[in-house]
Amino acid sequence: MKILVAVDPSDSVLLPVTRAAAMAKKEGAELTLLAVAEAVEDMESLFGASATDRLRQKAAKALDAAQAIAKAAGVTAKEVLETGVSPEEFIVDAAQKGGFELIVMGTRGKKGARKLFLGSVAAKVIALAPCSVLVVR
């Protein structure tokens, strides 16, 4: 079994990684951690490329934290760091190309108008994924 964990760089709680690592250990599954640093082209016109660079550094730190959780669970995990505008597209594309059987991810649980305007990465992944998706809260 191959499990892809979408690591959200904005989350301080890495519950999806903990859950996926436990599953990988139990099932003897291959685990891949994927973080997508969002490219903020609009902000770059104001702040230069440093805005995207900072988000990429934050995503790299989240991957380090996720890797530490996997190691503590006794699981070896591959790391993938991408940069782009649509995290859901990278997640779905990685699942498709990598032949993953399960995507594990969290959700921030936005409510009301904010969710309507921003959409939900988890909802988009669920709709587009070529495999099962486990959303951990």
Side-chain angles (χ1 to χ4, degrees):
M1 176 178 215
K2 292 178 73 174
I3 301 172
L4 177 66
V5 183
V7 177
D8 186 344
S10 66
D11 286 346
S12 58
V13 179
L14 295 172
L15 188 57
V17 179
T18 303
R19 180 74 57 88
M23 291 172 62
K25 174 118 176 138
K26 182 179 178 184
E27 300 293 325
E30 181 181 314
L31 187 65
T32 300
L33 309 169
L34 169 66
V36 180
E38 290 191 65
V40 285
E41 295 164 359
D42 295 341
M43 302 236 348
E44 287 182 2
S45 63
L46 296 172
F47 302 108
S50 65
T52 296
D53 290 340
R54 280 190 223 136
L55 290 174
R56 189 165 173 86
Q57 290 171 0
K58 188 175 182 180
K61 284 183 183 179
L63 272 178
D64 290 344
Q67 186 65 258
I69 290 171
K71 282 183 183 175
V75 176
T76 302
K78 178 181 173 188
E79 292 181 23
V80 179
L81 176 59
E82 298 285 356
T83 302
V85 177
S86 301
E88 62 275 4
E89 289 180 18
F90 281 96
I91 296 165
V92 170
D93 189 52
Q96 217 162 23
K97 288 181 179 173
F100 288 91
E101 297 165 74
L102 178 65
I103 299 170
V104 180
M105 62 188 308
T107 181
R108 291 190 220 156
K110 292 179 180 149
K111 296 179 182 169
R114 192 168 178 202
K115 181 178 179 182
L116 290 175
F117 290 117
L118 297 176
S120 166
V121 172
K124 291 173 186 170
V125 169
I126 291 167
L128 301 171
C131 59
S132 296
V133 179
L134 172 62
V135 179
V136 180
R137 288 187 155 214

